């Protein structure tokens, strides 16, 4: 099993969710986060004063999938989150050792 974490632009969330649904992923976790990479921040004007916004709003998606659909899920995220502009985001894939569904006690692939 693999955990896929993707940092994407907020307006791409619905498109990414639909793409993941098409490859058979039925559940995911979404968190509103802030951060920056090469995109850096930008300046804004507030009440006549200019200030730097270092952290930009992003969405973090987390999904745990079986090994056989990892590549399809990563491709779905990549295609649907792509704008071609700086700040499109990143995808991280890591190994998951164990999953347990609290309600039923199911483990690993059955718990996904």
């Amino acid at each position: 099993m693999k955990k896929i974490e993707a940092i994407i632009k907020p307006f791409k969330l619905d498109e990414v969710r639909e793409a993941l649904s098409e490859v058979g992923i039925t559940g995911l976790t979404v968190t509103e986060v802030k951060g920056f990479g090469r995109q850096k921040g930008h300046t804004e004007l507030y009440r006549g004063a200019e200030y730097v916004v270092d952290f930009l709003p992003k969405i973090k998606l987390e999904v745990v999938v079986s090994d056989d659909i990892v590549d399809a899920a990563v491709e779905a995220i990549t295609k649907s989150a792509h704008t071609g502009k700086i700040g499109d985001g990143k995808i991280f894939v890591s190994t998951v050792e164990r999953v347990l569904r609290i309600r039923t006690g199911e483990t690993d692939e059955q718990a996904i």
Side-chain angles (χ1 to χ4, degrees):
M1 295 173 297
K2 302 288 186 201
K3 179 179 183 180
I4 302 171
E5 295 177 78
I7 309 297
I8 63 169
K9 292 183 175 185
F11 68 88
K12 285 293 196 171
L13 177 59
D14 287 335
E15 203 173 323
V16 171
R17 185 182 50 78
E18 288 172 17
L20 288 171
S21 180
E22 288 175 12
V23 295
I25 294 172
T26 56
L28 60 111
T29 301
V30 177
T31 311
E32 292 181 10
V33 296
K34 292 184 179 195
F36 71 91
R38 289 186 185 156
Q39 191 177 9
K40 306 285 187 237
H42 61 280
T43 58
E44 288 189 6
L45 203 59
Y46 179 72
R47 293 189 178 183
E50 193 174 275
Y51 66 100
V52 177
V53 178
D54 289 331
F55 298 103
L56 301 170
K58 300 288 183 176
I59 295 291
K60 179 180 180 181
L61 298 173
E62 296 175 88
V63 61
V64 177
V65 299
S66 59
D67 290 334
D68 57 334
I69 64 167
V70 172
D71 292 335
V74 168
E75 185 177 341
I77 295 168
T78 303
K79 285 183 177 178
S80 58
H82 181 264
T83 67
K85 296 189 169 86
I86 193 166
D88 273 355
K90 292 217 169 49
I91 299 173
F92 305 94
V93 180
S94 54
T95 302
V96 173
E97 305 240 346
R98 187 172 178 206
V99 176
L100 175 86
R101 177 174 282 137
I102 296 171
R103 180 178 55 86
T104 62
E106 292 172 300
T107 60
D108 300 329
E109 304 246 345
Q110 292 77 33
I112 298 176

